Amino acid sequence: MILAIESSCDDSSLALLKINTLELVYHKKISQESEHNLFGGVVPELAARLHTKALPNLVDEVKEYFNDIKAVAVTNEPGLSVSLIGGVSMAKTLSMGLKVPLIPVNHLVGHIYSLFLDSKARFPMGVLLVSGGHTMVLEIDEDKNIEILASTSDDSFGESFDKVAKMLGLGYPGGSIVADYATKSTNKNRFKFPIPLLGDKRLEYSFSGLKNAVRLAIQKIDNISESDISDICFAFENAACLHIMDKLKRIFDEKKFKVFGVVGGASANLNLRSRLNELCQRHNAELLMAPLEFCSDNAFMIARAAREKYLQGNFIDYNEIQINPRSVLNKA
Ligand code: KG4
Ligand code: ZN
């Protein structure tokens, strides 16, 4: 089996995956959300310290499987440098100690393989990647080459939810909290936020203007109530999803995808999922979504991506592995 480690941001996670059957033998994630919640976002130094504490505990839980491990995989790019270092150091040590090869995995490629956790990977396909760090539309060809068709020029989709949650004092991470509030809105027409870059020919995302429009609306309200919050969250979520869909519709008209996948922590957003479902139905495209449990960062997807590299004998010497906080995405 492959032992995989994910520690690119604020989750320490470890998975054991059987190489031949794709059976998940062990998976655990120690989230740092409650610790970062106090600060309204991820504090890198705190994240690093918590990974250093959590990772050895996770390794300790799988000691009984050490003899069955054929390779150690780890996220080495992109992410917070101090967080990546924790996982990579642990993976190097395990690879040396267990005398098995080391497999570096790109975190975003890991998210792509969350679509194929228990099945054979199949390309070509289009992918929408929406997380706390990224918003991208990708085209992946049959040889797994990746072309980025659109990305964001400022905040990411998930990050904009986190920032709106912070402005409303709702805690971190904000995605699911804002989405929950949105479902409770009783006055859906009260706020109208501008859909970013509407009518603009550029295939590009931008969420900072929308975030500022939300900030101005909040500033105008004295003693904000739960129902004000719900109405704001509804209008914000709608504008953010419409922005994603506006550009995506144009891409679909041009690309004629037969298969389209949505991945990343923010792909758990149900409003977005249902809009994507409609778009794919209209274009006769098959929509693939990761199981809700494995949309956000996890080591299962890293193990699954590493398994492809294992089968190709694509390893790296532990003296040569590098972390790469801002990597380029070119191959799945
Ligand atoms: O992929 P992920 O776990 O971490 C990164 O690689 O960034 O994504 C986390 C992001 C956070 O910004 C979180 O607020 C967002 O995903 N998120 C959501 C939802 N659930 C999580 N955003 C919108 N709606 C949701 N339901
Ligand atoms: Zn992620």
Side-chain angles (χ1 to χ4, degrees):
M1 50 183 90
I2 292 174
L3 182 158
I5 293 174
E6 155 64 37
S7 74
S8 63
C9 188
D10 59 344
D11 294 300
S12 318
S13 180
L14 190 147
L16 289 180
L17 180 73
K18 281 203 180 161
I19 294 163
N20 292 335
T21 59
L22 295 179
E23 182 196 334
L24 184 65
V25 176
Y26 173 95
H27 179 256
K28 190 158 167 182
K29 167 158 135 171
I30 299 178
S31 170
Q32 307 176 353
E33 281 171 10
S34 57
E35 285 89 346
H36 295 293
N37 192 354
L38 302 169
F39 304 96
V42 178
V43 181
E45 198 266 347
L46 178 60
R49 261 192 290 139
L50 293 169
H51 285 307
T52 309
K53 189 169 165 218
L55 289 171
N57 293 336
L58 291 173
V59 171
D60 195 49
E61 287 194 21
V62 298
K63 273 189 310 206
E64 65 186 283
Y65 298 104
F66 274 2
N67 287 336
D68 303 316
I69 291 166
K70 301 284 179 239
V72 175
V74 64
T75 305
N76 72 322
E77 60 176 24
L80 278 177
S81 57
V82 290
S83 291
L84 291 166
I85 286 169
V88 168
S89 303
M90 178 55 81
K92 277 172 84 164
T93 309
L94 284 169
S95 155
M96 284 164 66
L98 300 174
K99 299 190 173 53
V100 295
L102 187 58
I103 305 175
V105 177
N106 179 298
H107 179 79
L108 307 181
V109 172
H111 275 300
I112 293 168
Y113 278 92
S114 68
L115 299 171
F116 306 114
L117 291 174
D118 57 5
S119 61
K120 194 170 177 308
R122 51 198 168 97
F123 301 104
M125 73 185 306
V127 171
L128 171 68
L129 176 101
V130 273
S131 69
H134 296 84
T135 302
M136 286 177 176
V137 183
L138 311 171
E139 184 175 25
I140 310 175
D141 72 14
E142 52 279 4
D143 297 322
K144 304 185 187 177
N145 298 308
I146 299 179
E147 189 186 339
I148 299 173
L149 303 177
S151 61
T152 178
S153 54
D154 44 57
D155 295 341
S156 75
F157 179 75
E159 186 181 11
S160 69
F161 279 71
D162 295 334
K163 290 187 172 168
V164 166
K166 189 173 179 183
M167 289 187 255
L168 290 166
L170 303 178
Y172 168 87
S176 59
I177 309 175
V178 169
D180 279 352
Y181 267 101
T183 61
K184 292 184 240 160
S185 170
T186 50
N187 190 348
K188 297 191 163 55
N189 294 317
R190 183 164 155 212
F191 296 96
K192 284 262 179 290
F193 296 127
I195 298 163
L197 301 177
L198 193 64
D200 188 309
K201 291 231 167 354
R202 278 171 296 174
L203 283 179
E204 188 176 294
Y205 290 111
S206 165
F207 291 91
S208 62
L210 172 60
K211 176 187 70 187
N212 284 331
V214 174
R215 188 194 310 279
L216 293 175
I218 296 171
Q219 279 168 0
K220 284 194 192 134
I221 304 172
D222 290 327
N223 297 324
I224 196 159
S225 68
E226 288 283 295
S227 95
D228 296 331
I229 293 176
S230 301
D231 294 342
I232 289 174
C233 288
F234 176 84
F236 158 73
E237 184 187 58
N238 252 357
C241 289
L242 283 167
H243 179 34
I244 294 281
M245 298 311 295
D246 172 43
K247 303 295 175 190
L248 212 47
K249 275 178 194 154
R250 285 188 26 218
I251 293 174
F252 262 71
D253 284 341
E254 196 191 314
K255 292 292 175 182
K256 318 271 181 242
F257 296 122
K258 290 203 172 66
V259 182
F260 193 78
V262 58
V263 299
S267 72
N269 187 282
L270 298 180
N271 186 327
L272 185 64
R273 281 184 170 220
S274 87
R275 290 172 194 274
L276 286 169
N277 211 0
E278 269 172 42
L279 180 69
C280 285
Q281 275 183 6
R282 223 175 316 128
H283 287 262
N284 278 325
E286 180 187 358
L287 177 62
L288 303 182
M289 298 186 273
L292 284 175
E293 185 192 352
F294 295 110
C295 286
S296 59
D297 295 348
N298 65 84
F300 187 6
M301 67 187 195
I302 302 304
R304 178 65 188 83
R307 187 249 194 188
E308 303 294 303
K309 285 185 147 186
Y310 180 88
L311 296 179
Q312 295 159 2
N314 193 348
F315 307 123
I316 192 166
D317 191 275
Y318 57 74
N319 280 317
E320 274 164 30
I321 189 168
Q322 305 266 357
I323 62 145
N324 199 353
R326 278 178 231 286
S327 67
V328 196
L329 186 61
N330 50 24
K331 191 98 184 168

